[in-house]
């Protein structure tokens, strides 16, 4: 995908002696129309929704199946172009907050806690990048991951990739690519990795949207422990994000980046390790590891916040 710098350079080559104005938002604020802008100038809005948080693992008895928490799905990406004459002197920008974590479990024989969805990122009432779904609570059965953000007028689905296959998460379902033929660029974020008693599965990647987190490590009914899944990265691979933790080791937080999505957080390993936070913008948090009674289960990782960049031509 193009970075903000590449978009700025491309626009600067088109404005014929004019210039560009770049306003980047990592927290909510107000976009202000450049004072020298005229009606035939344009504003390009690039935005990511926030990633969902990771669910926490189940806490249960020896010789029973205990799944880790599944990971958060990622926020989606949009690119929209507006004429200056169609925008107000100011437009409010709301940056989606990362989905809250599924809290660790402190009571024996108890399922984990589900995590919160990532918040939407909005530019006035004109553009919305949707947040990813929260990871599910670890239990005694197989779990799917949190859904990546959908871009067809609705937020993410409740569940993502199945843990029944190694490539446990798939990219979001929105159209991909940069704006062409009048269709704006947009893409859903990757799904979070699922979890079961035998494994934490990797998070799904997404070329433009954010990547999902890795699922939390589980404990099977023979008391075998597993590592957390690897977080997704900003392509369609299911590897390259935050590392999943080995048994007893927390997942690694995903890398935060400017101008493109961060990496998904790694899942925490069993017994009781926490998931890593999703990188900003848009990445899902890792799931927390399952645990044996008497030990707290692993909490999930926080989802990565959203972001919005507005690049304007200034010919006035």
């Amino acid at each position: 995908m193009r970075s903000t710098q590449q978009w700025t350079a491309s626009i600067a080559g088109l404005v014929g002696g004019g210039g560009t104005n770049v306003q980047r938002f990592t927290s909510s604020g107000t976009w202000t129309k450049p004072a020298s802008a005229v009606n035939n100038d344009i504003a390009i809005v690039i935005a990511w929704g926030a990633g969902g948080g990771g669910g926490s693992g189940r806490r249960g008895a020896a010789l029973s199946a205990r799944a880790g928490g599944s990971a958060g799905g990622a926020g989606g990406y949009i690119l929209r172009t507006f004429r200056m004459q169609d925008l107000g002197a100011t437009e409010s920008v709301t940056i989606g907050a990362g989905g809250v974590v599924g809290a660790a479990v402190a009571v024996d024989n108890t399922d984990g806690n589900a995590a919160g969805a990532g918040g939407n990122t909005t530019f006035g009432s004109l553009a919305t990048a949707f947040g990813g779904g929260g990871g599910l609570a670890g239990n005694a059965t197989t779990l799917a991951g949190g859904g990546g953000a959908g871009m067809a007028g609705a937020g993410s689905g409740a569940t993502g990739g199945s843990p029944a296959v190694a490539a446990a998460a798939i990219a979001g379902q929105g159209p991909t690519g940069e704006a062409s033929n009048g269709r704006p660029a947009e893409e859903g974020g990757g799904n979070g990795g699922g979890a079961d008693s035998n494994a934490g599965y990797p998070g799904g990647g997404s070329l433009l949207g954010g990547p999902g987190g890795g699922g939390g490590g589980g404990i099977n009914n023979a008391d075998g422990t597993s590592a957390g899944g690897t977080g997704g990265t900003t392509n369609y691979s299911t590897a390259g994000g935050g590392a999943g933790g080995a048994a007893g080791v927390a997942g690694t937080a995903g890398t935060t980046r400017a101008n493109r999505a961060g990496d998904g957080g790694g899942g925490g390993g069993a017994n009781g390790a926490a998931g890593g936070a999703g990188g900003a913008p848009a990445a899902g948090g890792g799931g927390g590891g399952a645990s044996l009674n008497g030990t707290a289960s692993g909490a999930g990782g926080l989802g990565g916040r959203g972001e919005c960049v507005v690049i304007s031509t200034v010919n006035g």
Side-chain angles (χ1 to χ4, degrees), residues 11 186 261:
I11 294 166
E186 57 183 40

Side-chain angles (χ1 to χ4, degrees), residues 2-101:
R2 290 187 178 187
S3 68
T4 300
Q5 292 93 334
Q6 288 170 320
W7 274 111
T8 303
S10 296
I11 294 166
L14 295 174
V15 296
T20 56
N21 173 278
V22 179
Q23 298 178 48
R24 178 174 175 240
F25 298 86
T26 58
S27 60
S28 297
T30 301
W31 175 82
T32 301
K33 185 182 293 186
S36 58
V38 296
N39 282 347
N40 64 344
D41 283 327
I42 61 171
I44 294 177
V45 176
I46 301 169
W48 292 265
S56 64
R58 174 175 168 80
R59 173 171 166 161
L63 303 179
S64 70
R66 288 145 281 171
S70 63
Y77 165 96
I78 60 167
L79 183 151
R80 298 286 186 270
T81 302
F82 300 99
R83 301 179 302 174
M84 284 293 176
Q85 64 204 63
D86 296 327
L87 300 176
T90 61
E91 297 285 352
S92 62
V93 176
T94 300
I95 301 300
V100 298
V101 307

Side-chain angles (χ1 to χ4, degrees), residues 115-220:
N120 296 339
T121 293
T122 61
F123 179 75
S125 61
L126 301 171
T128 300
F130 294 100
L136 303 182
N139 56 29
T141 61
T142 296
L143 294 176
M151 299 304 297
S156 64
T159 61
S162 167
V165 293
I170 59 173
Q173 299 301 304
T176 63
E178 293 172 356
S180 62
N181 300 322
R183 186 167 84 173
E186 57 183 40
E187 186 177 33
N191 288 326
D196 60 24
S197 62
N198 294 300
Y201 292 86
S206 182
L207 184 64
L208 299 173
I219 308 174
N220 64 28

